[in-house]
Each structure stands twice: as structure tokens, then as C-alpha cells.
Amino acid sequence: MKWIFLVLILVAAPTIAAWLKTKPRAAPIVWGLLGFLPFVLGPWHLSVAPYSTAGWPGYVKGWEVSLLDAVAIGIIFGTRDRWPKPTLVFPFLAYIFAVLIAIYQAEFGKLAFSYVFQLIRVFIVFLAVGRVVVSERGEKAVLTGLVLGLAVQAIYAIVARAGGALQTGGSLGHQNLLGFVSHLVLMPAFALFLAGRWQRIAITGILCGLIVVILTASRATIAFSAVGLGLTLLLSMAIRFTGRKAVLGGVAIVMLACSYPLAKASLNRRFETQKMAFFDEDREREAFAKAAHAMISDHPMGVGPNHYVVTANTQGYSARAGVNWQSSSRATNVHNSYLLVAAETGYFGLITMIMLLGSAIWYALSTAYRFRRKPGAEVLIGVGCGILAMSIHGLYEWMFVVYPTQYVFATSLGLIAGIRSRYLRASTTAASKARVSRQRPAPVSVNRPDEAPA
């Protein structure tokens, strides 16, 4: 059955490409899948692993291929629009190169390559999103897909809470992962709302985002979502202040204020049930960090991607750091994305990861300021603030390396690259036309014989 599904996925790519060439008007339906599918690949079983390592304790369980990969490849070859400018391509490739080099430090090369294979798939999605977002139709389709994906997670979260769950991760499996991903959708939706664009999409994204954030009952998720929303509001009003935006901003503040009691009640309910868990969790984080620092000190080039758990246990780092002997503790990673990347891929991997995140935030916000009178500028502010919130959240969670986060992150990078490329080309075209107009000689007036000179 696995191989049949793999063949179907492989056949889907050329089929989608051919369909897009013959029915370009219906393309937004396929484009929207780029934003939607990352939220449902796991629960809906839309991926298959030709080389499976289900028993491996790392965060990648083999060389997987998903329906999203086929959609992305089909879009790349089936879209007729011009390629976007290579914004963020080189920082992304630099990070992949750093991870590839770190494979030689790994004890099991094939298992380490699983993460490289995942990054290559994520890079393809990034290219596909950038390819379609060079048009405004593509931008709307991708944002719609992201919001619908988060809406599905909101439904899963509500059902889980109704069933008595204190914390819910929707269908992604863990509340911290759901909170991590929600930043990348909630902030762009809020920016759309402030700009007055595509209000149904924006309001749906905000409401579903708040539901997800509150029901995770995660301190970090709630705190960093509030910071991201506040920063989005400030930057949006700073680059282009309007009375309408001020009113919408006030409405948004009221909505957030109304959601505060719900968030507080969610946290209180968790605290009353898990009074000691908060303290134990903080001590556990310190022990994980101690183990990771020791690993980095002994292996500055890294221990190999997808190898942290095995190395921490087999080489005694977790034991010496005092990590709890429970399987739930010994089978997970250090709760810090940057320490995890540094431990597995060394300082080179950490530097390239920070370069990628920093470049994404810089390009998003600088492009928004440069083209602040363009409608897409607001989306770029939301995307930039979402990545910033996720980056800060990464100091407390290791979820940056798992595929749901990376797929949605790749979608954010594609939005930046596509919107930036669209406005740069429009600016270049306008400048060229103005230059040609200035260089064109003025018409010479010649008097006819029967006319007196002026």
C-alpha cells in the first residue's frame, strides 16, 4: 500500500503541472494548498516514507515524500509567470549546506541525511510559494490556505478541550508545536485586518489564531503572540498611519482585551491541576540546556543532524546534566531551537540558521517600509513579526526543526520573496518608462506658409 501511495504522489506532480497550464484561472485552488497542507499532512496521512526509520528517536523518521511536495513541484513547472528575484535563496541554501556538512559528524549517515532531505523538500515549497506570490492572486490564495489550515487546527483544539484536555496541540500532536506555527499565521492575518484587505480571511485568521493560542495554555505561546500582535500594530501604524487603521487597531485591542480572561482562565486551570509541573518543567529545561552546552563544547562541529537524543543518552550528557530518567525526558530534545541546531550542526549551522531568520525579518520589514504605500506592505509586516515571534519562541522550544514548522516557515519566506519581487519589478518598470519619457525629444512646431509666426 505504501508504494502505491508513493506512485500516486509522484504522478500527482506532472498531473498538477499539466492542469495548471490548461486551466490557469483555477490555479488559486492549487496555490492555496501550499498554505493549507502543512497543517494536515500528519493527521490525514498525506505522506509516505520510502526509507522509514519509525523507531529512531530523532525528529525525522526517514526520507519522506508528501502530497505537498508534489503540489509544489507541479506548481513550479506548471506556472507561466516569471521567476521571482532570488531573495532569501542564498541564506536558505547556506543553512542546507551547513547541515549537509554536519552529516560527516554523525554516527549514522543515512539517519542524519533524513533532515537534509526534509530541508530540500521545504526549499522546494519555498520556491513554489515565491513563484505564485509574484501575482496578487497568488498572494491571496496562499494566505487563504494558511488561514484555513489554522481554522482546521482550531476545530481540533476545541474538540480536544471539550473532551477535557488541559492543553491541546490540535492535530499536530503537541501544544508547543501548534503555538510555534500559529505565530506565522496570526500576525499576517492581523496585518491584513489593519490594512482593510480581504477582511473575511483576516477576521477568520485572527479568531482561529486566538482560539488556538488560548487553548494551548502555553505561557510562551500566549506571551509571544501578544508581543507579536502589539509589534505588528505599532509597525503598521508607523509606516502608514490612517484614521481607519487607528479605529481597526482600537477594535483589535478590545478583542485582545476580551480574550485575556479566557487566556488567564486557561492558564489558571492548568496551574491548579499541575502546580508542581511548572517548577519541574523549569528545572528540566535547565538540565537540558546544561547537557546541550556540554555537547557543543565537546563537538563544536556538531554531533550530526537528527542525532541529539541518541548522543545525549549514549555519551552520558543527559545523565551528567541531571536530566530526568523518565522516557518522556530522555527521548526528547533540548528545549531551545538554537542550542539544538548548534549541538547537531555546530557553530556553522547555528550561524547560518540565525542568518536565515535575520535575513527573513530584515527583508520583510525593509521591503514593507520601502513600498509602504503598496497593499502588500502590511502583509510583509505581519510575516516579519510572525517570524520574529517564532524566533524568540525558539529560545524556549525546539520545534523549529520539525516539518510542520518548516513548511509554514517556507511559506512565509515565499511570501516575502514573491511580494518583494513583484514590487521591485513594478518599480523598475516605472523608472524605465520615466527615463524613456525624459529622453524623448520634444515635438518641433513648424509654421505653415499661410500662418504668421507667433
Side-chain angles (χ1 to χ4, degrees):
M1 186 65 183
K2 176 177 76 172
W3 299 108
I4 295 175
F5 188 64
L6 176 62
V7 171
L8 292 176
I9 290 178
L10 295 176
V11 170
T15 303
I16 291 172
W19 188 79
L20 288 174
K21 289 180 179 179
T22 56
K23 297 183 179 296
R25 290 186 177 181
I29 298 174
V30 179
W31 295 344
L33 294 176
L34 293 171
F36 176 76
L37 286 177
F39 294 91
V40 298
L41 287 178
W44 293 4
H45 305 291
L46 299 178
S47 61
V48 61
Y51 174 66
S52 177
T53 56
W56 179 250
Y59 45 83
V60 186
K61 306 294 185 182
W63 301 0
E64 293 186 339
V65 180
S66 72
L67 178 60
L68 178 57
D69 306 326
V71 171
I73 293 173
I75 287 173
I76 288 174
F77 289 101
T79 302
R80 299 176 180 177
D81 293 335
R82 295 169 59 188
W83 280 91
K85 294 182 180 297
T87 303
L88 297 173
V89 167
F90 299 113
F92 205 143
L93 290 177
Y95 177 57
I96 295 176
F97 180 67
V99 175
L100 185 62
I101 290 178
I103 287 179
Y104 295 98
Q105 309 298 322
E107 184 176 359
F108 304 100
K110 287 185 178 180
L111 301 175
F113 184 76
S114 297
Y115 183 51
V116 178
F117 192 74
Q118 174 179 294
L119 286 175
I120 293 172
R121 293 159 47 212
V122 169
F123 183 74
I124 292 172
V125 172
F126 158 61
L127 294 179
V129 174
R131 190 102 160 84
V132 303
V133 174
V134 291
S135 71
E136 192 170 4
R137 281 201 317 155
E139 177 190 348
K140 183 178 180 181
V142 171
L143 290 170
T144 301
L146 287 171
V147 168
L148 290 178
L150 192 62
V152 170
Q153 291 306 311
I155 294 172
Y156 276 109
I158 291 171
V159 172
R161 174 55 65 89
L166 289 175
Q167 293 181 277
T168 173
S171 64
L172 297 184
H174 199 281
Q175 63 272 6
N176 293 332
L177 174 55
L178 180 56
F180 222 74
V181 174
S182 67
H183 300 315
L184 301 176
V185 184
L186 178 56
M187 273 35 117
F190 183 50
L192 277 179
F193 178 71
L194 293 174
R197 296 178 71 205
W198 306 324
Q199 290 294 276
R200 290 183 181 179
I201 300 172
I203 293 173
T204 302
I206 294 172
L207 293 178
C208 293
L210 292 178
I211 290 171
V212 161
V213 168
I214 291 170
L215 295 185
T216 61
S218 167
R219 293 170 293 174
T221 297
I222 293 172
F224 297 134
S225 294
V227 170
L229 290 170
L231 188 59
T232 301
L233 176 61
L234 290 176
L235 291 179
S236 178
M237 298 183 74
I239 67 166
R240 191 176 58 173
F241 181 85
T242 64
R244 182 181 185 280
K245 188 179 291 186
V247 172
L248 291 177
V251 172
I253 292 174
V254 171
M255 291 174 62
L256 292 175
C258 292
S259 66
Y260 171 75
L262 298 175
K264 185 178 179 180
S266 185
L267 286 174
N268 287 341
R269 181 183 177 189
R270 179 190 170 195
F271 182 76
E272 290 172 0
T273 308
Q274 305 172 340
K275 288 184 178 180
M276 294 303 299
F278 282 103
F279 303 105
D280 293 339
E281 181 181 335
D282 291 338
R283 286 198 296 266
E284 194 78 346
R285 288 175 183 274
E286 293 176 3
F288 274 116
K290 184 178 179 181
H293 281 296
M295 193 181 300
I296 295 168
S297 178
D298 293 343
H299 303 275
M301 295 296 292
V303 299
N306 206 26
H307 271 63
Y308 176 87
V309 172
V310 169
T311 304
N313 285 287
T314 60
Q315 297 187 21
Y317 290 104
S318 291
R320 290 192 294 271
V323 176
N324 196 297
W325 276 101
Q326 292 180 350
S327 59
S328 59
S329 297
R330 289 301 182 94
T332 192
N333 301 284
V334 56
H335 296 296
N336 185 310
S337 294
Y338 303 97
L339 287 179
L340 176 60
V341 169
E344 291 192 333
T345 60
Y347 289 109
F348 185 33
L350 177 63
I351 291 171
T352 54
M353 172 195 176
I354 294 174
M355 285 176 53
L356 177 59
L357 292 171
S359 298
I361 296 169
W362 165 255
Y363 275 117
L365 299 183
S366 63
T367 305
Y369 178 76
R370 179 176 176 180
F371 299 103
R372 52 190 175 276
R373 298 194 177 278
K374 300 289 187 180
E378 308 287 349
V379 173
L380 291 176
I381 290 175
V383 171
C385 290
I387 295 175
L388 179 60
M390 184 201 72
S391 300
I392 300 173
H393 200 163
L395 293 169
Y396 301 90
E397 296 298 342
W398 59 270
M399 300 298 178
F400 175 77
V401 295
V402 294
Y403 75 84
T405 299
Q406 293 197 338
Y407 271 136
V408 182
F409 176 59
T411 304
S412 299
L413 298 183
L415 283 166
I416 297 169
I419 294 174
R420 176 180 170 83
S421 182
R422 187 201 316 163
Y423 291 149
L424 285 176
R425 284 176 179 167
S427 178
T428 302
T429 301
S432 300
K433 290 181 178 179
R435 187 167 52 252
V436 170
S437 178
R438 287 195 302 268
Q439 293 174 352
R440 185 178 300 163
V444 178
S445 178
V446 179
N447 293 326
R448 293 187 304 184
D450 57 341
E451 289 182 341

